[in-house]
Amino acid sequence: MKPLVLSVIAILAAGSAMAAVGVADWSGVYKQRFNVTGPAPGVSEDVLEIVPVGPNRAYVRADLSFSAANSCKFYGVATLEGDRLRYRGPVDGHQGERCTLTLERGRDAKGNQTIVLRDEGSRCEAATCSKRGSYDTQSFPVSARRTIRYLPRLKASSEFAYALKEAGIAAPPATPATRPNP
């Protein structure tokens, strides 16, 4: 009986360790290309960037493209809540409503892990998307995750600075391009 109890405890402990997801587990850039139809056919790319800015917070930027030159462009600092990253914008956001964008782990039809975007009440869409753009239809395969090789440029962007300021996070000092003369 005792070995069975120990086995069950070990299985439960392993399951909870696998379920614990930290900000670093989300970190990276996720990209997916797709064909665009319509008046200007071609290839487009959706991009999701996640950069840790604290033990339980991450800068999130989504640049999504849709047909007929429609798009969604979002950036902000999200907080890790359990196994989700959730951005809550200021209450005085678009039309006095709060944009709440959630990133959560899911699975596609084939059972592959994905990051799914959820826009509570479509409030982020109303503030940051063109006519035919939407966050609720978007997901990124976790297998598409790559290291952000352009991190210094990303951290120097106006979007990154704005997101940190909105979240009340002090921006790190800029790194000089060259060393000053002694």
Side-chain angles (χ1 to χ4, degrees), residues 104-169:
E104 57 190 26
R105 303 279 177 153
R107 296 207 177 265
D108 64 14
K110 295 179 182 177
N112 300 315
Q113 271 198 329
T114 60
I115 293 178
V116 180
L117 280 63
R118 305 258 186 244
D119 180 6
E120 185 179 302
S122 299
R123 293 183 191 117
C124 299
E125 175 185 322
T128 63
C129 295
S130 57
K131 188 174 182 179
R132 292 191 180 109
S134 173
Y135 294 105
D136 281 335
T137 59
Q138 299 303 305
S139 66
F140 291 82
V142 171
S143 62
R145 176 182 165 190
R146 301 290 180 263
T147 300
I148 300 175
R149 298 176 192 252
Y150 49 92
L151 198 54
R153 185 174 38 136
L154 184 151
K155 287 184 173 182
S157 71
S158 59
E159 291 91 351
F160 188 78
Y162 178 86
L164 292 184
K165 183 178 179 183
E166 180 188 63
I169 300 172

Side-chain angles (χ1 to χ4, degrees), residues 23-109:
V23 172
D25 296 321
W26 295 83
S27 178
V29 60
Y30 304 78
K31 295 181 180 182
Q32 54 187 359
R33 291 179 181 222
F34 56 94
N35 292 323
V36 177
T37 58
V43 177
S44 193
E45 183 174 63
D46 288 340
V47 178
L48 175 66
E49 296 166 336
I50 303 174
V51 179
V53 293
N56 67 340
R57 298 173 91 188
Y59 168 77
V60 175
R61 186 180 79 87
D63 190 347
L64 310 176
S65 299
F66 302 89
S67 63
N70 287 285
S71 65
C72 290
K73 298 191 182 306
F74 169 86
Y75 49 89
V77 174
T79 302
L80 187 64
E81 297 177 358
D83 60 350
R84 296 180 170 100
L85 281 172
R86 181 167 288 143
Y87 166 82
R88 286 189 174 89
V91 176
D92 61 344
H94 182 70
Q95 298 180 350
E97 296 188 359
R98 180 185 300 236
C99 163
T100 302
L101 188 67
T102 304
L103 283 69
E104 57 190 26
R105 303 279 177 153
R107 296 207 177 265
D108 64 14

